[in-house]
C-alpha cells in the first residue's frame, strides 16, 4: 500500500519505507502467484487465499488431537481461533506497508527478523519432514508395499523421488499443485467420513470429550491445533494485494471463522466416528488398510503429500539462501580479469542448498514416525510468529502510528494491556506445550527402544 505524501499525518510512511530495505525472502506473497497477478484481488479471493494458506497436513491429526484434548478441546480450539484472528488484526492495525518481515524489521530491528525467519526456517523444514512422514507412513501401511520395506526406507525413497522436483529451475506452475493438494485432501477426508459411517455406524459423542485431559494430552492437542493455524505471514501480502485494503480485517475475521468451522467439523467428526476403534494419529489410517478404498486414498494422499513438498521448499530455500553470503563466479583467466565479479545464477547457487535440505528432511523423516507429536512440536514453534510476535510488534509501534494517537486514552491503555497479556500467553503457548511434548517423546523413546513403534 503506497500512500501519497499529502495523505500522511506524519512521517510514518516515509520513515517505515526507508527502514524496510532490503526486503527479506518473506516479502513475497507466498500465495503461489506474483505480486502483479495478485494486484486488485477481491474480497472472496482474499478470504480463500488466507484459508488456503492455513489448511494443510495438520488437519489429518485433528481427530486424534481432539481425543487427546478431552473436554478442553472445543473451548481451546475456539479460543485459539479467536486468538489467531486477533493477532492478524494486530498486524493490520500497525498500518505499515510491506511484508511481515518488513514489519518485524521496523519494530524490532535486525534481531527480530533473525528470530522470525529462524523460527519459520525450522517450521518450514518440519513441514517438509511431516509431508515425507505422511507419505512414508501411508505407503508402508499398504499391505502390498508394507511387506517390501519399512517406514524409514520409504522415507528415504520419497527423498529420492523428490530430488527432480526440488531441483527444477522454475516453480511457475506450483500454484496448481496447491489447488490439487486441497482437492485431494478434501476427497480423502470425505472418504474417511464415508468409511467411518459404513464401518462404525452413526457418530456418537466420545466419552473422552467429557473428561478433563491430562497435561500431556492437552499439550498434544494445543500443538496440533496451533500447527493448523498460523496464517499471519499471509495477512499483510493479502492486504497489499486487495483492491480494497480496508476490508482486510474483515477478510481475516471471515477466513478465521471458516478455518475454525472446518477444523471443528474434522476434529469432532473424526473423533465421533472412530473413538471406539481408536483414532489414529493420521486419520486416513482409520480406513482398513487392505480395502480397495484404502489403497486408492493412501496412494493419492501419499502422492499429493510429496507434490506439496516443493510448495514449502520455495520459502524454505528463500530464507535459507538469504542467510548465506552471495558468492561470485570465479575468473576464467588471470590474463583477462573481469572488471566486476559476476553474481552466480540463482539456480546454480540454490541447487546444492536444495539437495542438502532435501537430504536432511529425508533423514529426519526416516527417524520420525510419530506424526501427531511432530505436528504438535511444529505448532509450538509456529506460535512464535503467530501468537508471540504480533502483540510485541503492536506494543513497540503503539506510539508511532497516526491512527493510535487519535484513539481515546482509555482505548490505548486497554490495547496496551491486552498486548502485554497476549505476549505472556504467547510465550507460555510456545514453551509450555513444547516442553511437555519433548518430555513425552523422551519417555516413549526410553520405553520402546530403538526398534519400537509409537502406539
Amino acid at each position: 500500500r503506497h500512500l501519497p505524501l499529502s495523505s500522511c499525518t506524519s512521517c510514518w510512511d516515509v520513515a517505515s519505507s526507508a527502514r524496510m530495505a532490503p526486503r527479506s525472502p518473506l516479502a513475497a506473497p507466498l500465495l503461489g502467484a506474483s505480486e502483479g497477478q495478485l494486484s486488485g484481488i477481491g474480497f472472496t479471493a482474499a478470504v480463500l487465499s488466507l484459508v488456503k494458506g492455513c489448511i494443510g497436513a495438520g488437519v489429518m491429526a485433528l481427530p486424534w488431537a481432539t481425543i487427546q484434548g478431552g473436554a478442553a478441546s472445543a473451548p481451546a480450539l475456539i479460543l485459539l481461533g479467536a486468538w489467531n484472528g486477533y493477532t492478524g488484526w494486530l498486524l493490520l492495525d500497525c498500518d505499515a506497508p510491506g511484508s511481515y518481515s518488513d514489519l518485524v524489521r521496523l519494530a524490532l530491528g535486525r534481531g527480530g527478523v533473525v528470530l522470525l525467519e529462524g523460527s519459520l526456517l525450522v517450521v518450514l523444514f518440519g513441514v517438509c519432514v511431516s509431508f515425507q512422514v505422511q507419505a512414508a507412513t501411508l505407503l508402508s501401511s499398504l499391505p502390498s508395499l508394507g511387506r517390501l520395506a519399512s517406514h524409514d526406507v520409504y522415507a528415504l525413497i520419497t527423498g529420492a523421488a523428490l530430488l527432480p522436483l526440488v531441483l527444477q529451475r522454475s516453480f511457475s506452475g506450483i500454484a496448481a499443485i496447491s489447488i490439487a493438494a486441497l482437492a485431494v485432501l478434501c476427497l480423502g477426508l470425505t472418504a474417511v467420513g464415508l468409511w467411518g459411517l459404513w464401518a462404525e455406524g452413526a457418530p456418537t459423542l466420545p466419552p473422552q470429550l467429557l473428561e478433563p485431559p491430562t497435561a500431556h494430552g492437552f499439550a498434544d492437542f494445543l500443538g496440533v491445533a496451533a500447527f493448523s493455524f498460523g496464517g499471519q505471514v499471509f495477512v499483510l501480502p493479502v492486504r497489499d494485494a486487495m483492491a480494497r485494503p480496508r476490508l482486510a480485517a474483515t477478510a481475516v475475521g471471515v477466513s478465521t471463522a471458516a478455518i475454525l468451522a472446518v477444523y471443528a467439523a474434522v476434529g469432532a467428526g473424526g473423533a465421533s466416528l472412530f473413538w471406539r476403534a481408536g483414532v489414529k494419529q493420521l486419520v486416513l489410517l482409520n480406513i482398513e488398510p487392505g480395502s480397495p478404498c484404502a489403497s486408492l486414498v493412501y496412494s493419492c494422499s501419499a502422492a499429493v503429500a510429496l507434490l506439496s513438498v516443493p510448495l514449502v521448499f520455495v520459502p524454505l530455500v528463500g530464507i535459507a539462501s538469504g542467510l548465506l553470503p552471495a558468492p561470485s563466479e570465479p575468473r576464467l583467466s588471470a590474463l583477462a580479469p573481469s572488471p566486476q565479479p559476476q553474481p552466480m545464477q540463482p539456480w546454480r547457487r540454490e541447487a546444492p542448498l536444495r539437495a542438502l535440505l532435501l537430504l536432511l528432511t529425508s533423514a529426519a523423516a526416516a527417524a520420525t514416525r510419530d506424526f501427531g507429536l511432530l505436528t504438535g512440536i511444529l505448532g509450538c514453534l509456529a506460535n512464535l510468529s503467530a501468537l508471540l510476535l504480533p502483540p510485541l510488534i503492536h506494543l513497540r509501534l503503539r506510539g508511532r502510528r497516526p491512527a493510535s494517537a487519535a484513539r481515546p486514552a482509555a482505548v490505548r491503555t486497554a490495547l496496551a494491556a491486552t498486548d502485554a497479556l497476549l505476549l505472556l500467553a504467547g510465550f507460555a503457548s510456545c514453551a509450555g506445550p513444547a516442553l511437555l511434548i519433548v518430555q513425552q517423546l523422551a519417555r516413549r523413546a526410553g520405553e520402546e527402544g530403538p526398534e519400537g513403534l509409537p502406539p
Side-chain angles (χ1 to χ4, degrees):
R1 183 168 45 184
H2 303 285
L3 301 178
L5 292 177
S6 59
S7 67
C8 296
T9 56
S10 69
C11 60
W12 166 258
D13 299 287
V14 178
S16 63
S17 298
R19 294 181 60 183
M20 285 177 188
R23 295 176 67 85
S24 79
L26 292 180
L30 302 180
L31 298 174
S34 67
E35 293 187 45
Q37 290 172 305
L38 285 169
S39 180
I41 64 173
F43 179 81
T44 302
V47 171
L48 292 177
S49 295
L50 292 170
V51 171
K52 185 178 70 172
C54 286
I55 296 180
V59 74
M60 296 292 187
L62 276 176
W64 171 81
T66 300
I67 292 292
Q68 304 304 309
S73 57
L77 183 65
I78 295 173
L79 178 62
L80 193 60
W83 193 354
N84 274 267
Y86 183 74
T87 54
W89 176 82
L90 288 179
L91 297 178
L92 293 173
D93 190 58
C94 291
D95 197 26
S99 69
Y100 195 177
S101 284
D102 296 332
L103 190 58
V104 171
R105 185 187 301 275
L106 181 64
L108 306 176
R110 177 60 185 167
V113 175
V114 171
L115 180 64
L116 170 67
E117 297 188 352
S119 68
L120 288 179
L121 183 69
V122 176
V123 170
L124 291 171
F125 180 88
V127 171
C128 292
V129 174
S130 71
F131 279 131
Q132 290 183 252
V133 169
Q134 180 179 341
T137 302
L138 291 171
L139 292 175
S140 61
S141 298
L142 289 170
S144 57
L145 298 179
R147 292 188 293 266
L148 300 178
S150 60
H151 171 277
D152 50 353
V153 173
Y154 280 115
L156 297 176
I157 291 175
T158 62
L162 284 169
L163 186 61
L165 290 178
V166 301
L167 290 181
Q168 57 184 318
R169 290 177 178 269
S170 173
F171 291 102
S172 58
I174 209 167
I177 299 177
S178 66
I179 298 174
L182 276 179
V184 174
L185 177 66
C186 294
L187 290 176
L189 292 175
T190 302
V192 169
L194 294 176
W195 176 270
L197 290 173
W198 179 79
E200 303 290 339
T204 57
L205 182 65
Q208 295 93 328
L209 298 188
L210 301 177
E211 301 172 356
T214 63
H216 289 98
F218 185 70
D220 291 339
F221 168 79
L222 190 61
V224 172
F227 178 70
S228 302
F229 282 99
Q232 279 74 4
V233 293
F234 300 101
V235 169
L236 298 180
V238 166
R239 176 206 62 187
D240 293 338
M242 293 180 68
R244 301 173 65 187
R246 292 185 178 182
L247 294 179
T250 306
V252 169
V254 172
S255 62
T256 302
I259 293 167
L260 186 58
V262 171
Y263 290 169
V266 172
S272 299
L273 282 172
F274 297 110
W275 67 269
R276 300 181 191 87
V279 183
K280 306 292 186 181
Q281 290 189 3
L282 191 61
V283 73
L284 292 177
L285 297 178
N286 279 102
I287 301 178
E288 185 179 340
S291 64
C293 177
S295 300
L296 179 62
V297 172
Y298 288 9
S299 302
C300 292
S301 298
V304 170
L306 293 181
L307 289 175
S308 299
V309 171
L311 292 168
V312 188
F313 251 74
V314 174
L316 174 63
V317 174
I319 297 175
S321 62
L323 301 176
L324 301 176
S328 300
E329 293 281 8
R331 294 176 178 178
L332 298 178
S333 170
L335 299 177
S338 173
Q340 281 271 332
Q342 297 299 314
M344 184 178 289
Q345 293 298 320
W347 183 86
R348 291 184 60 188
R349 182 193 178 200
E350 289 182 358
L353 178 61
R354 294 183 190 182
L356 175 61
L357 288 172
L358 181 61
L359 177 63
L360 294 176
T361 60
S362 301
T368 306
R369 305 187 186 191
D370 213 323
F371 181 78
L373 293 184
L374 173 62
T375 55
I377 293 175
L378 294 176
C380 296
L381 293 173
N383 280 344
L384 178 66
S385 61
L387 304 180
L388 184 60
L389 285 179
L392 179 59
I393 295 169
H394 199 256
L395 270 175
R396 292 277 295 177
L397 300 180
R398 68 185 185 278
R400 300 159 61 184
R401 300 188 305 274
S404 177
R407 288 172 175 158
V411 174
R412 296 198 302 270
T413 302
L415 285 174
T418 303
D419 289 343
L421 181 62
L422 290 180
L423 187 60
L424 294 175
F427 177 79
S429 71
C430 293
L435 290 176
L436 289 172
I437 292 174
V438 170
Q439 181 186 20
Q440 188 174 357
L441 282 173
R443 189 182 72 248
R444 288 191 181 188
E447 292 173 352
E448 297 158 4
E451 300 298 328
L453 288 174

